[in-house]
């Protein structure tokens, strides 16, 4: 699968948090998140391993109770079932890969 850059297809998953699936395969799914200053991704967990990279901005990412001040160029890997949350300090862009594929993030998937 190959996808060209496109500014369409984002959806708001929470106030100030926009998400777009960029590409997916059988075992992984890549998502771009547009994050607005002041937004909060509340504490949650899911069975998917989640690897991410901060492209721009600044966030405070808490993984399994440990806070991390995340700057552009920083990356992370969150084990499946680990509780985590994110506070958006500045408008930010993050890229994350999920494994296995999150079916609800597939085009036409159910949230």
């Amino acid at each position: 699968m190959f996808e060209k850059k496109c500014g369409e297809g984002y959806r708001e998953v929470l106030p100030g948090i926009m998400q777009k699936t960029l590409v997916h395969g059988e075992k992984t799914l890549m998502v771009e998140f547009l994050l607005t200053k002041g937004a909060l991704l509340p504490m949650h967990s899911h069975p998917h391993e989640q690897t991410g990279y901060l492209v721009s901005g600044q966030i405070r990412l808490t993984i399994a109770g440990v806070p991390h001040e995340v700057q552009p160029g920083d990356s992370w890997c969150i084990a499946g079932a680990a509780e985590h949350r994110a506070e958006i300090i500045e408008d930010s862009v993050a890229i994350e890969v999920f494994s296995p594929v999150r079916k609800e993030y597939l085009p036409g998937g159910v949230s």
Side-chain angles (χ1 to χ4, degrees):
M1 174 180 251
F2 180 85
E3 291 290 328
K4 295 288 276 180
K5 181 178 178 177
C6 173
E8 298 176 3
Y10 293 90
R11 65 184 183 102
E12 188 171 44
V13 291
L14 289 168
I17 300 178
M18 303 291 289
Q19 173 239 318
K20 176 183 178 179
T21 295
L22 299 174
V23 68
H24 63 88
E26 288 183 36
K27 298 179 182 178
T28 60
L29 177 133
M30 183 183 294
V31 177
E32 181 179 41
F33 288 95
L34 305 181
L35 310 161
T36 303
K37 179 180 177 176
L40 174 66
L41 181 64
M43 190 66 73
H44 68 287
S45 67
H46 44 73
H48 311 83
E49 183 174 75
Q50 178 177 345
T51 303
Y53 175 84
L54 191 65
V55 176
S56 63
Q58 180 182 358
I59 65 175
R60 182 173 300 112
L61 184 61
T62 302
I63 305 169
V66 179
H68 304 274
E69 299 298 323
V70 185
Q71 304 289 331
D74 292 346
S75 54
W76 56 90
C77 186
I78 304 170
E83 289 195 335
H84 55 285
R85 65 178 268 159
E87 299 169 71
I88 313 311
I89 309 303
E90 297 177 5
D91 288 352
S92 302
V93 175
I95 302 294
E96 294 192 298
V97 175
F98 295 88
S99 180
V101 170
R102 290 190 69 162
K103 295 192 185 311
E104 70 272 23
Y105 283 6
L106 292 173
V110 178
S111 295

